C-alpha cells in the first residue's frame, strides 16, 4: 500500500507478485506433467496422475495476490478499482455513490467492502458476471470488495480524509434496507433438526455411486470410477450438513455449541438450490454459518416452509431476512455436467476403450486365458513326452497367467500363457513379447504363428518358442532327455518343429472378441 498527499494506492508489494508468479509457473508445470503422464505413461500411471491436478488450487489461491484489484486508488474523486479482478478497465466510484465502507474477510483474505447507495448501477456485464456480482451483494452487502494487503488503517483513514468524513467507516456489513420497524415479538424456544426425508437424496446419490463404481471396476473403465466419485462427493457434502441442531429463542440462534445473539447477526438468508433448501446466518463481520437442522429437501415441502415461517417471524424487528433461489435447472445442470466432464476427460485420456475394450466395436482382445494343458494333449506333445499326464499350476480361466507341464523329469514340456489384462492391452502384449525375445540368444522369427513369433534356445538343447496373438503371449519350453539333441542337429530340428506345433495349438485356443 502506497500513500501520498493526494492518493492512496491499494496494491500488492512486488515481492508477493513474484512469489505469485512462481507459484503459477509451478502449477502450470504440474498440470503439463500430468498431461504428459496421461498420454505417455500408460493407463494405470495416467489414472494415478489425476490427483496431481489438485495443484490447480494453489493457483486460485495466489491469483488475487497477482491480479486482484491491481492499483486500486483512493483519492478526492472517490475509489478507482476493478470491480472484478478480470476487468480490463478500472471503474470510478464517486464518494456520492458510497454509503459506507467496512473491512471483512472473504474466505482467508481481507477486503475493504465498499457499500453502494445504488448497487444495481454497478452490476453490469454478461450473465455470468452479473450473477457473480449479485451473489457478492447478497452474501457480503456489496458487489465491490477491494483486496487489502497489510494494515487496513491507512485505507480507512484515507476514506475518511478524501471523502471529508461524508462516508462512514462501519464495524461490519450493515443491516439490509427493509428491516422491519415493528417491535420485536416474543420468540418461543424452538429446536430444529433435519427431518429423516432429508436423507432420501443422499441415499439415492450413494446408491448411484456404488453402482457406477462397481460397473466401472468390473468393466475396467476408470472413467466410470471417477464418475462415481462425484455423486459420492455430493452425498457426503449433503450428509455433512445434516447432523446437529439449531435452537431459536429470544436471545438469538444457537448452532451446535455456538450462540449467536441478535446483535451479532446482520442477515438471515433462506436459500433454495435445486432440490435442497437451507438457512444461512450472516454475521456483521461477514462470516456465514449454516443453520444445522434447517436443511431439507425438497425446499417447497409444506413442513419445511412452515419452519421458515417460524424463523422469519422471529427475525421480524430484529434482523433482515433475504431469500435466494438458485434455479433448479441450473443446479441440476451443474451437478450433472461436473461428473460428466470428469468422466469424458478420463474416458479419452485414460480408458480409451477404442484400443483395448472387448465390448468396443472393432476391438479384439482376449478376456480369458486359455487352458495350456489342452496344448499338451496333442499328438506333437505326446511325441515329445510320451508318458505322464499334464499338470496345471492354475485352473482359473480368469487368471492372467496359467502354466501346465508334461513330464516329471526329462524329457519335459512346459506351456505358459500370459494375458495382459490392464492398461493398453495390445501394447502390453507387445511389450511382454519383446521382453521375452530379449531374454534368449539365437532368436529366429517363425512366420505364420500368431501375429508374431520366434524360436530360440536355452543352453545347447532346450527348445524355446514364444508367440503372441492379441494381448496373449504363449511360451513353450521343451527339455529333451536324450543326448545328441544340441542345436544344429536333426534331432533338435525335429524337436523345434514339434514345439512350434504345440505353440500353434495354444495360440489357436486364444479367443479374441
Amino acid at each position: 500500500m502506497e500513500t501520498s498527499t493526494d492518493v492512496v494506492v491499494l496494491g500488492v508489494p512486488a515481492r508477493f507478485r513474484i512469489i505469485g508468479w512462481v507459484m503459477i509457473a509451478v502449477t502450470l508445470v504440474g498440470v503439463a506433467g500430468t498431461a504428459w503422464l496421461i498420454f505417455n505413461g500408460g493407463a494405470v500411471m495416467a489414472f494415478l496422475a489425476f490427483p496431481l491436478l489438485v495443484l490447480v488450487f494453489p493457483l486460485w489461491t495466489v491469483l488475487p495476490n497477482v491480479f486482484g484489484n491491481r492499483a486500486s486508488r483512493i483519492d478526492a474523486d472517490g475509489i478507482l478499482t476493478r470491480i472484478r479482478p478480470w476487468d480490463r478497465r478500472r471503474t470510478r466510484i464517486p464518494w456520492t455513490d458510497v454509503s459506507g465502507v467496512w473491512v471483512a474477510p472473504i474466505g482467508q483474505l481481507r477486503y475493504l467492502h465498499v457499500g453502494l447507495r445504488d448497487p444495481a448501477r454497478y452490476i453490469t456485464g454478461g450473465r455470468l458476471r452479473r450473477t457473480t456480482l449479485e451473489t457478492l451483494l447478497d452474501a457480503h452487502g456489496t458487489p465491490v470488495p477491494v483486496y487489502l494487503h497489510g494494515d487496513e488503517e491507512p485505507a480507512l483513514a484515507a476514506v475518511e480524509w478524501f471523502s471529508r468524513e461524508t462516508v462512514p467507516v462501519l464495524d461490519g456489513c450493515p443491516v439490509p434496507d427493509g428491516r422491519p420497524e415493528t417491535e420485536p415479538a416474543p420468540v418461543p424456544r424452538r429446536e430444529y433438526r433435519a427431518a429423516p426425508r432429508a436423507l432420501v437424496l443422499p441415499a439415492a446419490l450413494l446408491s448411484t455411486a456404488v453402482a457406477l463404481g462397481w460397473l466401472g471396476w468390473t468393466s475396467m473403465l476408470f472413467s466410470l470410477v471417477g464418475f462415481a466419485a462425484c455423486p459420492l462427493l455430493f452425498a457426503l457434502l449433503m450428509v455433512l450438513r445434516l447432523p446437529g441442531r439449531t435452537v431459536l429463542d429470544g436471545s438469538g440462534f444457537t448452532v451446535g455449541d455456538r450462540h449467536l445473539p441478535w446483535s451479532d447477526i446482520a442477515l438471515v438468508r433462506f436459500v433454495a438450490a435445486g432440490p435442497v433448501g437451507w438457512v444461512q446466518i450472516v454475521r456483521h463481520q461477514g462470516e456465514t454459518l449454516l443453520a444445522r437442522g434447517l436443511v431439507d429437501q425438497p425446499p417447497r415441502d409444506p413442513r419445511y416452509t412452515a419452519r421458515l415461517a417460524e424463523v422469519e417471524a422471529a427475525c421480524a424487528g430484529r434482523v433482515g431476512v433475504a431469500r435466494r433461489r438458485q434455479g433448479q435447472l441450473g443446479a441440476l445442470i451443474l451437478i450433472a455436467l461436473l461428473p460428466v466432464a470428469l468422466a469424458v476427460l478420463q474416458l479419452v485420456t485414460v480408458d480409451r476403450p477404442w484400443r483395448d475394450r472387448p465390448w468396443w466395436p472393432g476391438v479384439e482382445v482376449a478376456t480369458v486365458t486359455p487352458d495350456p494343458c489342452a496344448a499338451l494333449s496333442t499328438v506333437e506333445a505326446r511325441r515329445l513326452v510320451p508318458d505322464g499326464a499334464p499338470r496345471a499350476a492354475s485352473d482359473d480361466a480368469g487368471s492372467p497367467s496359467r502354466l501346465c507341464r508334461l513330464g516329471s523329469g526329462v524329457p519335459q514340456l512346459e506351456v505358459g500363457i500370459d494375458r495382459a489384462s490392464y492398461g493398453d492391452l495390445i501394447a502390453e502384449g507387445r511389450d511382454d513379447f519383446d521382453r521375452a525375445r530379449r531374454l534368449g540368444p539365437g532368436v529366429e522369427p517363425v512366420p505364420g504363428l500368431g501375429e508374431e513369433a520366434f524360436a530360440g534356445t536355452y543352453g545347447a538343447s532346450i527348445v524355446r518358442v514364444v508367440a503372441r496373438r492379441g494381448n496373449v503371449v504363449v511360451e513353450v519350453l521343451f527339455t529333451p532327455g536324450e543326448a545328441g539333441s544340441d542345436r544344429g542337429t536333426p534331432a533338435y530340428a525335429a524337436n523345434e518343429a514339434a514345439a512350434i506345433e504345440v505353440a500353434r495349438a495354444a495360440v489357436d485356443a486364444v479367443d479374441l472378441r
Side-chain angles (χ1 to χ4, degrees):
M1 181 181 299
E2 302 175 5
T3 61
S4 66
T5 57
D6 59 349
V7 66
V8 171
V9 179
L10 304 177
V12 180
R15 63 181 183 276
F16 287 98
R17 290 188 184 277
I18 295 174
I19 294 174
W21 281 113
V22 170
M23 291 185 67
I24 290 174
V26 171
T27 300
L28 295 179
V29 169
V31 172
T34 301
W36 187 90
L37 286 175
I38 288 174
F39 289 103
N40 298 280
V44 175
M45 183 61 70
F47 180 73
L48 296 177
F50 267 95
L52 294 178
L53 292 178
V54 299
L55 289 174
V56 174
F57 292 109
L59 175 66
W60 294 107
T61 302
V62 303
L63 282 180
N65 289 341
V66 179
F67 301 108
N69 300 103
R70 287 181 294 179
S72 297
R73 301 164 66 91
I74 301 176
D75 54 29
D77 297 323
I79 298 175
L80 183 66
T81 185
R82 289 177 173 84
I83 295 182
R84 298 302 300 140
W86 320 109
D87 292 349
R88 293 184 178 182
R89 297 181 179 180
R90 294 178 293 181
T91 299
R92 169 67 71 179
I93 305 175
W95 294 118
T96 54
D97 288 355
V98 181
S99 60
V101 297
W102 64 95
V103 176
I106 299 179
Q108 302 298 320
L109 305 175
R110 295 185 64 78
Y111 287 82
L112 176 69
H113 295 260
V114 182
L116 303 174
R117 301 184 188 278
D118 184 14
R121 178 180 173 186
Y122 293 90
I123 298 178
T124 59
R127 181 176 180 180
L128 179 61
R129 185 175 188 275
R130 290 197 306 271
T131 301
T132 303
L133 296 178
E134 289 171 354
T135 301
L136 283 172
L137 175 63
D138 190 18
H140 304 287
T142 175
V144 186
V146 180
Y147 175 67
L148 286 175
H149 185 86
D151 191 7
E152 63 201 44
E153 293 302 327
L156 298 177
V159 170
E160 291 184 332
W161 172 264
F162 288 117
S163 69
R164 301 183 183 276
E165 298 186 355
T166 59
V167 174
V169 176
L170 307 176
D171 293 333
C173 178
V175 177
D177 293 337
R179 178 175 179 173
E181 299 294 338
T182 58
E183 185 68 21
V187 179
R189 187 181 186 277
R190 294 188 175 92
E191 182 175 316
Y192 299 104
R193 294 182 182 272
R197 62 181 178 274
L199 293 172
V200 173
L201 186 56
L205 290 172
L206 182 60
S207 301
T208 303
V210 172
L212 289 174
W214 178 84
L215 182 61
W217 183 259
T218 55
S219 61
M220 294 187 299
L221 275 179
F222 292 116
S223 53
L224 280 183
V225 177
F227 189 90
C230 294
L232 178 62
L233 177 61
F234 284 122
L236 291 177
L237 290 176
M238 293 184 64
V239 168
L240 290 176
R241 292 173 177 265
L242 298 179
R245 63 171 186 167
T246 294
V247 176
L248 174 63
D249 54 28
S251 63
F253 287 87
T254 301
V255 180
D257 297 330
R258 184 175 181 181
H259 182 66
L260 301 173
W262 294 111
S263 59
D264 196 27
I265 300 174
L267 178 69
V268 175
R269 183 187 299 118
F270 302 155
V271 182
V276 185
W278 63 86
V279 176
Q280 294 176 332
I281 303 171
V282 183
R283 301 180 62 209
H284 285 291
Q285 292 80 1
E287 181 185 8
T288 300
L289 289 88
L290 173 70
R292 296 187 176 275
L294 285 170
V295 179
D296 208 339
Q297 50 96 12
R300 294 183 179 180
D301 187 280
R303 291 165 290 187
Y304 181 63
T305 55
R307 288 183 165 191
L308 298 186
E310 295 173 355
V311 175
E312 188 171 14
C315 293
R318 293 180 172 89
V319 297
V321 174
R323 296 179 181 271
R324 181 200 296 174
R325 181 164 186 82
Q326 300 174 355
Q328 182 170 349
L329 179 61
L332 292 177
I333 290 176
L334 177 62
I335 293 174
L337 285 184
L338 178 60
V340 168
L342 291 176
V344 170
L345 177 63
Q346 287 185 304
L347 185 69
V348 300
T349 57
V350 178
D351 292 323
R352 291 175 277 190
W354 50 86
R355 300 187 312 172
D356 51 24
R357 296 299 186 268
W359 44 263
W360 189 270
V363 174
E364 293 186 351
V365 294
T367 57
V368 296
T369 307
D371 182 9
C373 292
L376 294 180
S377 302
T378 61
V379 174
E380 291 78 8
R382 284 301 178 180
R383 191 186 69 79
L384 294 173
V385 183
D387 301 324
R391 303 186 313 277
S394 172
D395 293 328
D396 182 10
S399 174
S401 297
R402 302 181 69 180
L403 179 67
C404 190
R405 293 187 179 94
L406 180 61
S408 56
V410 291
Q412 179 172 277
L413 182 61
E414 178 180 296
V415 176
I417 302 179
D418 292 320
R419 174 175 55 87
S421 57
Y422 293 99
D424 188 340
L425 302 185
I426 303 299
E428 291 293 331
R430 292 195 184 101
D431 291 342
D432 292 342
F433 180 83
D434 291 338
R435 282 192 292 270
R437 181 163 45 192
R438 291 193 296 267
L439 288 178
V443 171
E444 296 180 356
V446 178
L449 179 57
E451 297 176 20
E452 52 184 340
F454 68 85
T457 182
Y458 277 146
S461 60
I462 298 177
V463 178
R464 178 171 178 253
V465 179
V466 179
R468 180 186 68 82
R469 185 181 181 198
N471 58 317
V472 176
V473 175
V474 174
E475 183 172 9
V476 176
L477 288 176
F478 173 63
T479 305
E482 70 278 3
S485 300
D486 292 350
R487 187 180 181 92
T489 65
Y492 181 91
N495 293 339
E496 184 180 67
I500 289 174
E501 293 306 315
V502 172
R504 191 183 309 279
V507 168
D508 291 342
V510 175
D511 183 15
L512 300 182
R513 59 181 67 185

